[in-house]
Amino acid sequence: MAKISSYTKYLPSILWSSESDPSQFLGRMLCIFEQLLTGITIKAPLVTAAQDRIRLKSAADASNFSPGDLITISAIKNIEAEGKTERVPVIEQVEVKSVREAEIFLAANLRDTYSEGIISITDTTSLEKTIDHLPEVFNPWRTPTKFLPWLASWLALSLQDDWTEYQRRKIISQIISIYQQRGLKQGLLTYLDIYVANKANPRIAIDDGEAVFRAQLTSDRMTELHAIAYSHAVGDRGVLLHPTAIAVDRENNYIVADAGGQEQGKTWLPALWKLSSTGEIQYTGGLPQHIYSDNKLRNPIAVVIDNQNQYYVLVQGDSTKGDKPTIYRFTSGSTEPTRLIEDLKVFDSVDMVLDTSANQKRLIILDRGNPSDTNKIPKLVFFNEGSPPKREEQVLKLKNSVELTEVTALVIDSSGDLIVANARDPNSQEPADIIRLNHQDWSPIYLTQEVKKENNPLIYPTSLVFENSQSLLVCDTGVRGSSGSERTMAEPADIYRIDLSHSPPSITKITNNKKLVNPTKMAIDQKGELVIADQGEANKNRDWRARSNEFGVVVLFSAQRSTNENERNKIRFEIEKVINDQKPAQTFWSMKSVVD
């Protein structure tokens, strides 16, 4: 328990007693004023003092003194007397003229020279000066270090011994706003950001089932994300459990492909859903109504919509179950989708766009190539509906050293050129590439190759959309590398704007709240607003998105900030303590990758 002020003895027991104030809040508060009114002692060891200047060890020590301060030098001087040397204490007072870096300049010369000793402020009897500085004492960014525990104690906050001074000041300054958000996702994230602000700086994502977001543009061209649809399960129907693709129809409805889920023998089939622009799903007989649900849609990759409001869904399938990647077409009024081609001849499809340039309508699929081939080469597959349907393909060839090792997203511009995102090798720490493919010969133009590494934050882009002809939006998961808690790179998922109006282009993060967990695809709706599908995470054998009153916490560490197993487990333990204390009442949670 902190020291209790002696001033409490002057208070009537009706105002204060240890019984009426078990937390001893008033006693601790009075202790602050007791110390203020009796003088704040500021001391510093001197290095040398001679003539009109005093040199201290550091500029930080000198910054505690100001022009006009009356300071006392307390030193030890060797005195020769009667053939003996005596160490005699010496005290000298002098006024401060100015302070520069680690040196204090004096208004008058010193009587002697000193090489060891202590200097301290002696004019603390000035009550007016003390009162003038009171606001600084109660400002967590300006108060003397020794007052930080007192300020924290007033706010029911315990400071950890291993926190830096910056962490202490920051959490004291923000704890009230965090308390106001107690039980909310953003409050948890704010608290954890401060709590684990260390050299490991792990990526922490809280998955509370926010499945579809709308991004609203603010005055500074940033975006605020607002969830408009959440994942849940109703009986045998998993609603938006793990959405992997999104598109917008002519009536501004959002068409979302959902991968479904499985847990402890319970299976929720993949489905195609229609949401209103406010996130509303139609219910009939107490059950949410989907457009279609069946294992035919296993592992949906992308959704596109033509101008007749027909939906085209690219499905990767599951090769272990004999599935082949294919495209299904959904037509209004039809209860079953049409399979457009028997064998699409792709191996690892990642995205699909609809090309309507030059008065044509064809689907373009981006394929990584055969994963079993060590020299797999990505390709474009072109599919035209017709009788019979026509399929063509184009292997992507490069002109320089940049390799398309991990293509992840595709978008088409008004001229028919394609933009491809390339996340590079999973073990690489180089930024991701954005590449334009000329529609005439598919030759590459490397848009971001000349962007300096420190100015390119892209890691693993999963979706590209044009905001306008000169502005490309990129959704990036921030994670690269194999499974496990330590990845090659692990940063928060964000949305970025690439300004193509100049060369090299600039890349700017436009999200400022860490709501995204594992975003998949984006689309621009009929009102020009950005919508994002987020498939979230699922722990092994536990799909918290399908459970009531449950959320998940995903903690990933980056190899760029290397940590050992003990350090990672310590951070996880600290995270667990914070969440148990700050989580909403009557909720359950679990952490992914609790141990390595």
Side-chain angles (χ1 to χ4, degrees), residues 256-470:
V256 183
D258 180 20
Q262 186 171 358
E263 177 193 31
Q264 298 177 347
K266 179 69 175 178
T267 299
W268 295 277
L269 295 175
L272 193 66
W273 295 89
K274 178 188 285 188
L275 287 68
S276 72
S277 60
T278 58
E280 179 183 356
I281 296 176
Q282 182 179 353
Y283 271 69
T284 303
L287 289 176
Q289 298 302 304
H290 44 59
I291 296 173
Y292 184 78
S293 179
D294 189 83
N295 274 328
K296 288 180 180 179
L297 301 183
R298 194 154 37 209
N299 196 6
I301 299 299
V303 178
V304 298
I305 302 175
D306 67 12
N307 55 11
Q308 281 83 43
N309 256 11
Q310 296 184 112
Y311 314 146
Y312 297 84
V313 183
L314 173 63
V315 177
Q316 177 67 25
D318 184 347
S319 60
T320 64
K321 294 180 170 30
D323 298 339
K324 291 183 179 181
T326 191
I327 300 172
Y328 288 100
R329 183 186 64 210
F330 291 81
T331 304
S332 177
S334 176
T335 58
E336 282 286 328
T338 301
R339 186 173 184 173
L340 296 187
I341 187 169
E342 187 64 30
D343 188 2
L344 192 57
K345 294 182 181 178
V346 298
F347 295 95
D348 189 8
S349 54
V350 294
D351 211 344
M352 178 174 69
V353 296
L354 178 64
D355 181 13
T356 57
S357 63
N359 296 319
Q360 62 179 337
K361 186 179 81 171
R362 64 176 178 174
L363 299 167
I364 305 177
I365 299 97
L366 178 63
D367 181 43
R368 287 196 183 107
N370 191 342
S372 62
D373 187 352
T374 56
N375 295 317
K376 66 177 183 179
I377 300 175
K379 63 182 179 181
L380 298 172
V381 175
F382 306 90
F383 178 78
N384 289 76
E385 281 190 273
S387 183
K390 184 179 180 183
R391 177 194 172 280
E392 300 175 354
E393 68 176 50
Q394 171 70 46
V395 174
L396 298 182
K397 298 180 181 180
L398 306 176
K399 293 184 178 179
N400 60 19
S401 60
V402 177
E403 297 180 358
L404 290 175
T405 51
E406 188 77 6
V407 292
T408 56
L410 179 70
V411 72
I412 189 168
D413 69 10
S414 57
S415 71
D417 286 355
L418 298 177
I419 309 292
V420 174
N422 175 41
R424 293 183 178 263
D425 184 272
N427 298 318
S428 171
Q429 293 186 358
E430 293 297 314
D433 299 307
I434 304 296
I435 303 167
R436 182 186 294 274
L437 301 177
N438 184 287
H439 68 279
Q440 308 221 338
D441 59 1
W442 307 116
S443 58
I445 301 172
Y446 301 93
L447 299 178
T448 58
Q449 189 175 25
E450 299 302 321
V451 178
K452 293 181 179 179
K453 183 177 180 179
E454 59 269 23
N455 296 331
N456 184 353
L458 302 180
I459 296 174
Y460 200 95
T462 56
S463 184
L464 307 169
V465 296
F466 276 100
E467 186 179 27
N468 55 57
S469 62
Q470 295 298 318

Side-chain angles (χ1 to χ4, degrees), residues 71-85:
I71 61 174
T72 297
I73 298 177
S74 303
I76 300 294
K77 186 173 179 60
N78 293 329
I79 303 295
E80 298 288 342
E82 298 180 356
K84 295 181 180 180
T85 302

Side-chain angles (χ1 to χ4, degrees), residues 241-242 260-268 538-544 546-547 550 590:
L241 287 186
H242 301 288
Q262 186 171 358
E263 177 193 31
Q264 298 177 347
K266 179 69 175 178
T267 299
W268 295 277
N539 210 343
K540 187 177 181 181
N541 299 321
R542 188 178 190 89
D543 196 333
W544 51 62
R547 293 170 174 251
E550 185 165 354
S590 55

